[in-house]
């Protein structure tokens, strides 16, 4: 079939997306949703099958077929020779990562109205992969977040339930002891008189409906992440960058950074700027108002050793911890103290001046 004829057929009928039927996972659920965010696939139909003949009729196939060929719109990762990773990452891609790698930038540009070649889109493209898509790639490929050699002696202090997006998607599959060809109305115990038989087509339609719920779960989560990074995280970058550059005006050590706006998501950006400025002294404390209201109280928060650590680089003074109000002001000699957390990672004062004194007093202890 010539490209001209194929293009005409594509204009007449919506493109058909193919993926496998049976047990589904988070990666192809997201891959299908991402494709449908693009104008080319809006609208589009979905075919879930492992039949090669039927898959050959699809415009685009993800997570099945044993072929990775962008020119043919084939995005599978299960073949033995597959080793593709996202730029500057080492995690082997799943179907989610493949679709995102090829179509992430136009999706981000269309949802944010930013130029596709803008630095902002590049930042969001990298951030969404790192913070969201990569974990799906790793999970589907059986890659641990930690080197097993580093965790061989680690024991969990408590059970966290293992609730992840992947597990929530898995919960939408049929249970192991479900019989897709027989439907029993809920609330009728184990009786068999009310069991209704249904054909393979109806059973497949039910499974497809479950898959679409999973796809919606993954896709709406992706869009919420994109909205946050675009509307909150990205604007905060400029504010944190300015505060980081100006930190030496707060104290010659450069260890105290001040944000004049409350609620600014600063941690992620601070660690990025510090990594880019590796020879510079580290920030120990970040000061910010509790709210944008005039007369708002101020917080002094300790910077943790790493982004994901609960250990502070320099906690607030030990003798202040767990103490509040006038008793704390008396112990510290600083007016307006409100509290210091029992672990010493954060404290509060009625004023910016008082919060600054708390930071400097702890820094010198």
């Amino acid at each position: 079939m010539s490209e001209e004829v194929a293009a005409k057929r594509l204009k007449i009928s919506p493109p058909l997306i193919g993926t496998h039927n049976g047990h589904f996972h988070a990666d192809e659920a997201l891959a299908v949703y991402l494709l449908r965010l693009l104008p080319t696939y809006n609208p589009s139909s979905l075919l879930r099958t492992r039949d090669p003949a039927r898959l050959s009729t699809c415009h685009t196939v993800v997570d099945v077929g044993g072929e990775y060929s962008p020119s043919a719109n084939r995005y599978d990762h299960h073949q033995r020779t597959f080793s593709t990773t996202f730029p500057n990452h080492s995690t082997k891609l799943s179907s989610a990562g493949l679709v995102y790698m090829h179509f992430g930038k136009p999706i981000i540009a269309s949802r944010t109205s930013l130029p596709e070649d803008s630095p902002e889109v590049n930042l969001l493209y990298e951030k969404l992969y790192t913070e969201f898509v990569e974990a799906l790639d790793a999970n589907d490929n059986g890659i641990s977040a930690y080197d097993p050699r580093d965790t061989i002696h680690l024991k969990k202090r408590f059970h966290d339930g293992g609730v992840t997006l992947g597990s929530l998607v898995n919960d939408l599959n049929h249970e192991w002891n479900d019989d897709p060809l027989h439907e029993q109305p809920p609330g009728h115990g184990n009786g068999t008189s009310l069991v209704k038989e249904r054909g393979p087509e109806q059973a497949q339609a039910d499974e497809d409906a479950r898959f679409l719920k999973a796809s919606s779960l993954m896709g709406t989560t992706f869009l919420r992440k994109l909205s946050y990074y675009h509307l909150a995280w990205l604007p905060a970058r400029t504010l944190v960058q300015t505060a980081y550059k100006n930190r030496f005006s707060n104290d010659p050590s450069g260890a105290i950074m001040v944000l004049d706006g409350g609620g600014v998501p600063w941690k992620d950006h601070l660690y990025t700027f510090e990594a880019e400025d590796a020879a510079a002294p580290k920030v120990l404390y970040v000061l910010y108002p509790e709210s944008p209201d005039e007369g708002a109280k101020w917080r002094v928060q300790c910077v943790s050793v790493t982004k994901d650590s609960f250990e502070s680089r320099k906690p607030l003074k030990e003798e202040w911890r767990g103490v509040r109000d006038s008793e704390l002001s008396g112990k510290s000699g600083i007016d307006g103290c409100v509290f210091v957390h029992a672990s010493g990672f954060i404290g509060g004062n009625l004023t910016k001046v008082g919060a600054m004194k708390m930071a400097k007093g702890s820094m010198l202890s």
Side-chain angles (χ1 to χ4, degrees):
M1 181 184 298
S2 70
E3 291 185 8
E4 184 179 354
V5 172
K8 286 181 178 179
R9 192 176 79 169
L10 188 59
K11 290 179 181 178
I12 295 171
S13 59
L16 181 60
I17 300 173
T19 190
H20 61 83
N21 59 349
H23 197 94
F24 49 80
H25 301 96
D27 70 311
E28 74 265 24
L30 178 60
V32 169
Y33 194 98
L34 290 178
L35 287 172
R36 287 176 153 176
L37 293 175
L38 295 161
T40 300
Y41 300 91
N42 187 13
S44 62
S45 302
L46 178 66
L47 173 64
R48 298 182 66 246
T49 181
R50 292 187 181 274
D51 183 348
R54 298 183 71 196
L55 288 171
S56 69
T57 68
C58 296
H59 175 274
T60 301
V61 176
V62 299
D63 208 46
V64 69
E67 181 182 4
Y68 169 45
S69 174
S71 61
N73 298 313
R74 294 311 189 249
Y75 300 98
D76 194 15
H77 67 108
H78 294 98
Q79 49 273 32
R80 184 184 182 91
T81 57
F82 183 87
S83 60
T84 304
T85 62
F86 195 81
N88 302 313
H89 290 256
S90 60
T91 303
K92 189 168 73 170
L93 298 179
S94 68
S95 62
L98 278 173
V99 169
Y100 183 78
M101 183 172 71
H102 288 281
F103 300 107
K105 286 186 179 181
I107 288 171
I108 292 169
S110 68
R111 302 296 299 193
T112 62
S113 299
L114 293 167
E116 187 176 328
D117 60 352
S118 66
E120 292 82 3
V121 166
N122 282 329
L123 274 172
L124 293 171
Y125 178 65
E126 169 64 31
K127 187 63 178 175
L128 278 161
Y129 182 76
T130 300
E131 299 294 338
F132 185 69
V133 181
E134 186 170 21
L136 304 177
D137 289 340
N139 179 263
D140 199 71
N141 285 301
I143 301 170
S144 173
Y146 301 97
D147 187 323
R149 294 170 295 183
D150 296 335
T151 60
I152 190 169
H153 298 299
L154 289 182
K155 292 183 179 180
K156 283 188 174 181
R157 292 179 176 175
F158 57 89
H159 182 59
D160 58 10
V163 178
T164 63
L165 275 175
S167 71
L168 294 176
V169 166
N170 187 62
D171 290 344
L172 291 170
N173 281 282
H174 281 293
E175 300 296 345
W176 69 272
N177 52 354
D178 284 347
D179 184 353
L181 295 179
H182 295 85
E183 179 183 21
Q184 180 172 301
H188 291 282
N190 294 319
T192 58
S193 60
L194 294 175
V195 172
K196 297 190 299 183
E197 291 191 10
R198 53 185 178 182
E201 290 186 3
Q202 187 176 357
Q204 185 60 58
D206 174 67
E207 183 185 280
D208 290 349
R210 289 170 174 263
F211 174 82
L212 291 176
K213 288 182 180 179
S215 186
S216 179
L217 169 65
M218 294 304 303
T220 53
T221 304
F222 171 84
L223 291 179
R224 284 197 300 272
K225 289 287 187 182
L226 173 56
S227 177
Y228 165 74
Y229 288 124
H230 172 221
L231 299 177
W233 179 84
L234 197 58
R237 179 182 172 87
T238 302
L239 297 177
V240 177
Q241 187 173 41
T242 299
Y244 182 73
K245 289 179 178 178
N246 293 339
R247 69 194 187 283
F248 290 99
S249 64
N250 305 317
D251 187 86
S253 67
I256 302 174
M257 188 174 81
V258 177
L259 292 164
D260 291 320
V264 176
W266 54 267
K267 290 185 180 181
D268 203 23
H269 298 301
L270 174 59
Y271 290 111
T272 298
F273 296 137
E274 285 188 332
E276 295 170 353
D277 192 19
K282 302 295 185 186
V283 175
L284 301 179
Y285 307 103
V286 176
L287 275 59
Y288 53 87
E290 289 185 354
S291 73
D293 299 333
E294 186 177 353
K297 299 173 185 176
W298 277 72
R299 293 286 177 94
V300 50
Q301 185 168 343
C302 306
V303 179
S304 53
V305 175
T306 63
K307 187 176 71 169
D308 299 317
S309 170
F310 289 106
E311 180 184 357
S312 299
R313 290 174 176 172
K314 182 76 173 175
L316 296 175
K317 293 182 75 168
E318 195 279 331
E319 59 264 35
W320 299 351
R321 299 173 199 172
V323 186
R324 298 187 60 88
D325 304 322
S326 59
E327 183 183 356
L328 179 56
S329 290
K331 279 181 173 290
S332 65
I334 301 170
D335 292 337
C337 289
V338 178
F339 79 99
V340 169
H341 191 274
S343 68
F345 88 97
I346 194 169
N349 196 283
L350 294 176
T351 67
K352 179 180 178 180
V353 171
M356 182 66 72
K357 288 181 179 179
M358 292 174 73
K360 290 183 176 182
S362 295
M363 183 173 63
L364 298 174
S365 63

